[in-house]
Amino acid sequence: MDRIVITDVSPRDGLQNQAVNVSTDDKLELVRRLATAGVPSVEVTSFVSPKAVPQMADAADLVQRVNAALPTLQTSALVPNLKGLERAHAAGAREIAVVLSATRTMNERNINMDLDEATAVSERTLLEARRLGLRTRAYVAVAFECPFEGKVPLEPVLRLSARMRDAGADRIVIADTIGAAAPGEVKTRMHELVALLGADLLAVHFHDTRGLGAANAWAALEAGVRHFDASVGGIGGCPFAPGAAGNLATEDLVLMAERSGFATGIDLAGLLDAVAFAESVLGRQLGGRSIAWLRRHYAKEAERKREAA
Ligand code: HMG
Ligand code: MG
């Protein structure tokens, strides 16, 4: 069976923009439930300025506790610069992700750097991470549309992705930050990127603002991509990108993939448990497009098992 690999980014992308203050204990519990559901890889936090994103101020504590509690889980942490890398490394992070946007304005709003500086800082951070023996991901954000500059041409996406590859990124994550992409353009862009970089170097990260996240993931899958970001319950959104809704929900992606013959290694009933936990922490209803059906289906399954026992 063909296999896809999902990185759940809910503890980072999902929790970076919440009005509720989520405790480190609850973040650890969310990661634990994702691991129990069989999620192979989790982006647990970000080492960014606590003034910019107060929700991630406990990054070092969380990484240390996740490493102690779940030593075999593959985890990563977003770092915007060398200071973030230094903090992540000191805390014991084994994989980091840099974040470079394909437009000048998005870099300025997100990390207070122009495009050239953001590119150079991302390159230096990747090179240093490699020197330290860490695995690396490089986001190329606003790879389809920018909330400030509109439609983004393919050329900078290709150019910046190649720069990240040359700086040694182990994976380049093509991100639709505000969920504005549609399957047709995902297919053509991912074909070009696959031709340039090879499918194995690529991952995709879709936000689901317009309900096209799963369709976009399918288009990327057909272009050969096998690494996907998603967020349990569909929580997510960049605080510096107006109009960014939650990520493609992990449960929607798993349902689509498994029903189409792709193994994920993830148990959907376990994911529902993680969604329920996130709901209890955030105090509101969560879930992707399939959540109502999934809940009915797994409630019936549980009832059938009880009756059979
Ligand atoms: P700045 O103010 O330009 O930084 O912020 P600076 O270098 O001038 O330093 C200012 C202060 O911040 C100094 O402290 C530094 O030490 C400190 P002070 O002297 O004032 O006490 N500082 C740091 N502290 C902790 N960790 C660090 C760090 N770096 C500097 N790493 C900076 C620049 C990048 C730090 C800031 O703009 C920032 O932290 N931005 C965060 C951006 C962010 O988290 N965005 C959301 C994640 S990206 C996203 O969601 C998109 C994604 O999901 C993909 C997609 O969907 O497209 C990944
Ligand atoms: Mg995102």
Side-chain angles (χ1 to χ4, degrees):
M1 198 188 231
D2 212 344
R3 194 174 180 79
I4 68 163
V5 180
I6 297 177
T7 296
D8 188 293
V9 296
S10 62
R12 196 277 302 165
D13 208 328
L15 299 183
Q16 71 186 2
N17 204 14
Q18 299 293 335
V20 185
N21 185 30
V22 180
S23 70
T24 313
D25 281 351
D26 285 344
K27 291 177 181 178
L28 175 61
E29 184 57 26
L30 176 62
V31 178
R32 197 193 299 276
R33 287 186 194 222
L34 292 170
T36 302
V39 174
S41 157
V42 180
E43 189 162 275
V44 292
T45 189
S46 59
F47 288 84
V48 297
S49 159
K51 284 183 200 139
V53 187
Q55 293 89 339
M56 298 287 115
D58 63 348
D61 191 19
L62 182 61
V63 165
Q64 281 162 8
R65 292 179 63 185
V66 169
N67 283 351
L70 301 159
T72 58
L73 180 67
Q74 186 174 326
T75 56
S76 67
L78 184 148
V79 305
N81 55 16
L82 284 166
K83 169 141 191 184
L85 172 61
E86 198 181 294
R87 290 177 58 215
H89 183 56
R94 296 185 284 256
E95 177 174 299
I96 57 94
V98 297
V99 55
L100 172 64
S101 296
T103 66
R104 178 181 58 81
T105 318
M106 190 63 222
N107 281 303
E108 286 170 355
R109 300 295 174 96
N110 195 36
I111 55 173
N112 197 26
M113 299 173 205
D114 67 21
L115 183 54
D116 287 344
E117 191 187 358
T119 308
V121 166
S122 295
E123 286 171 335
R124 279 203 293 276
T125 306
L126 287 171
L127 290 167
E128 180 60 10
R130 274 174 70 87
R131 198 189 62 78
L132 293 168
L134 306 189
R135 284 191 312 274
T136 55
R137 304 194 332 139
Y139 284 103
V140 176
V142 297
F144 298 88
E145 196 170 316
C146 169
F148 309 105
E149 298 188 20
K151 279 265 172 218
V152 175
L154 178 58
E155 187 280 323
V157 179
L158 291 171
R159 180 167 42 83
L160 296 173
S161 298
R163 293 274 295 261
M164 296 301 97
R165 175 208 47 203
D166 294 345
D170 295 313
R171 190 144 288 115
I172 292 148
V173 189
I174 304 299
D176 179 20
T177 311
I178 56 170
E185 61 184 330
V186 170
K187 192 173 164 188
T188 48
R189 281 194 179 204
M190 294 318 299
H191 269 299
E192 295 267 1
L193 282 154
V194 167
L196 180 70
L197 303 170
D200 200 43
L201 203 60
L202 288 161
V204 285
H205 174 112
F206 293 115
H207 285 259
D208 204 14
T209 317
R210 304 183 191 181
L212 295 179
N216 288 336
W218 183 254
L221 204 142
E222 287 208 305
V225 175
R226 292 294 179 268
H227 290 86
F228 295 82
D229 283 4
S231 171
V232 83
I235 48 173
C238 174
F240 310 102
N247 291 67
L248 167 61
T250 307
E251 58 273 21
D252 287 351
L253 179 59
V254 172
L255 180 66
M256 181 192 77
E258 297 268 348
R259 292 251 156 170
S260 306
F262 291 89
T264 62
I266 299 176
D267 168 39
L268 275 164
L271 278 186
L272 290 182
D273 185 45
V275 177
F277 178 73
E279 283 182 329
S280 73
V281 169
L282 297 178
R284 62 189 170 87
Q285 287 204 325
L286 301 171
R289 314 273 157 183
S290 62
I291 194 76
W293 182 84
L294 285 173
R295 281 187 170 140
R296 280 199 307 276
H297 178 77
Y298 284 98
K300 268 193 224 147
E301 288 267 292
E303 203 181 305
R304 215 173 295 136
K305 275 189 195 146
R306 267 198 307 275
E307 279 169 9

